[in-house]
Amino acid sequence: MPVTTDCSNCHRTSGWANATMNHTGITTGCAKCHNGTLATGKPAGHVATTADCSACHTTTTWAGAKFNHTGITSGCASCHNGTTASGKPSNHMPVTTDCSNCHRTSGWANATMNHTGITKNCASCHNGVFAIGKPKDHPATTQDCSACHKTSGW
């Protein structure tokens, strides 16, 4: 590897093999060495990014990376597809809009439903499974909720 530090930073006189890489003082970026030739690079299923590895990973723990969503413009599903990163669970309400319409990168839970662009009837989600349905004391009707209610105020 191209380094300017003394050999003893990684190697021991008792054994040259099994060197322990000391990342202290590295300033050239991870990909200079972690390119798949000198050291292991990004795996094929890695999130597409041009950011340096250190934007999400640390040299002390590779797993448990913290992803910074700043600057993402391609939509959540481009990575959150179940392969690259976890996607919608099987019990998620049926939507085709981007995750960011309801969820935030700062907190996935407690989503705020944005009804903009909903073209199906209300009961397709408000069925007591995905979202609260009609209460037991609701007047009997076969009309869609939108005949009487608005998404901006129930």
Side-chain angles (χ1 to χ4, degrees), residues 45-140:
H46 193 279
V47 172
T49 180
T50 57
D52 187 65
C53 309
S54 62
C56 302
H57 300 279
T58 67
T59 58
T60 56
T61 58
W62 200 249
K66 300 297 181 200
F67 189 77
N68 182 346
H69 288 89
T70 304
I72 300 298
T73 58
S74 58
C76 305
S78 63
C79 293
H80 288 278
N81 54 22
T83 304
T84 305
S86 60
K88 286 190 291 190
S90 60
N91 64 346
H92 192 281
M93 64 177 54
V95 295
T96 57
T97 59
D98 188 65
C99 311
S100 62
N101 285 345
C102 302
H103 299 280
R104 302 288 167 259
T105 59
S106 58
W108 201 247
N110 299 324
T112 302
M113 178 60 193
N114 181 345
H115 289 88
T116 304
I118 300 296
T119 57
K120 290 186 174 185
N121 63 23
C122 304
S124 64
C125 291
H126 288 277
N127 56 14
V129 176
F130 293 119
I132 297 170
K134 287 191 281 188
K136 291 178 184 177
D137 62 347
H138 192 278

Side-chain angles (χ1 to χ4, degrees), residues 1-60:
M1 287 187 190
V3 296
T4 57
T5 59
D6 186 77
C7 303
S8 63
N9 282 346
C10 302
H11 298 280
R12 302 290 168 256
T13 56
S14 59
W16 199 250
N18 298 325
T20 303
M21 177 60 194
N22 182 345
H23 289 89
T24 304
I26 301 294
T27 58
T28 58
C30 306
K32 177 122 179 158
C33 293
H34 288 277
N35 56 17
T37 303
L38 295 174
T40 305
K42 287 191 284 189
H46 193 279
V47 172
T49 180
T50 57
D52 187 65
C53 309
S54 62
C56 302
H57 300 279
T58 67
T59 58
T60 56

